[in-house]
Amino acid sequence: MKNQMLILLAIVMLACNKKGAVPIQYGTDACDMCKMNIMDDKFGAEIVNKNGKVFKFDSAECMIDYLHTGGEQQEQFFVTNHSQPGILINAQEAVFLYGENIKSPMGGNLAAFNSEKDAMKMKQELSGETLTWEQVKKVRGH
């Protein structure tokens, strides 16, 4: 019995130390930058800091603005895949579409995609330009 309790305790401790994205609870979670509720499941973003603490945002633009408030040691960046609402992907590997016809929550005109193919498909519908994570940060003036 004692060994089973130790194994269970070890599993719980491993689960608590897991770093990574957690699902955004749309309609319930609030943005750590603008404090508005995160509502649109085609957008949304997260930062996981060095200690595994998760910060949630209603859009990539809010996450990028938060980066420049300083203080936290950010480690991982995630954005919602516009083609698969509610699914978070690595922001540094995402393809972003930027254009005035993209109506993201805070007016940043940004949508993130898991692949170039998906971004190009949306680009045919809405126009705009494709950007990398580093280019998006420059567009946001940071």
Side-chain angles (χ1 to χ4, degrees):
M1 181 71 170
K2 185 176 178 180
N3 286 340
Q4 292 173 334
M5 291 298 288
L6 289 173
I7 291 170
L8 179 62
L9 182 60
I11 291 170
V12 169
M13 289 179 69
L14 286 173
C16 291
N17 288 329
K18 181 182 172 193
K19 289 183 183 178
V22 296
I24 294 172
Q25 302 301 312
Y26 290 92
T28 302
D29 288 338
C31 176
D32 280 298
M33 182 64 192
C34 71
K35 310 302 180 200
M36 295 175 66
N37 274 2
I38 304 170
M39 301 299 288
D40 191 339
D41 64 358
K42 290 183 180 176
F43 300 94
E46 288 185 1
I47 293 174
V48 180
N49 77 4
K50 182 178 169 183
N51 298 321
K53 184 175 179 183
V54 175
F55 298 86
K56 297 180 179 182
F57 306 94
D58 57 2
S59 63
E61 55 264 32
C62 267
M63 179 171 70
I64 293 167
D65 291 347
Y66 185 84
L67 288 175
H68 300 284
T69 62
E72 295 293 333
Q73 293 186 357
Q74 302 91 13
E75 186 169 286
Q76 299 173 312
F77 306 95
F78 300 94
V79 289
T80 300
N81 183 357
H82 196 270
S83 296
Q84 294 179 299
I87 303 297
L88 292 166
I89 58 176
N90 183 330
Q92 293 158 314
E93 297 172 359
V95 178
F96 292 86
L97 185 61
Y98 172 67
E100 64 185 32
N101 294 328
I102 299 163
K103 305 299 180 196
S104 54
M106 298 308 289
N109 305 324
L110 284 170
F113 299 89
N114 195 32
S115 71
E116 181 84 25
K117 180 182 173 186
D118 288 346
M120 295 307 285
K121 183 178 176 183
M122 185 61 73
K123 184 177 178 179
Q124 289 176 346
E125 293 177 35
L126 300 176
S127 73
E129 62 180 305
T130 56
L131 302 173
T132 65
W133 170 243
E134 293 302 321
Q135 291 170 318
V136 166
K137 289 192 298 186
K138 287 179 184 172
V139 166
R140 291 294 299 169
H142 304 289

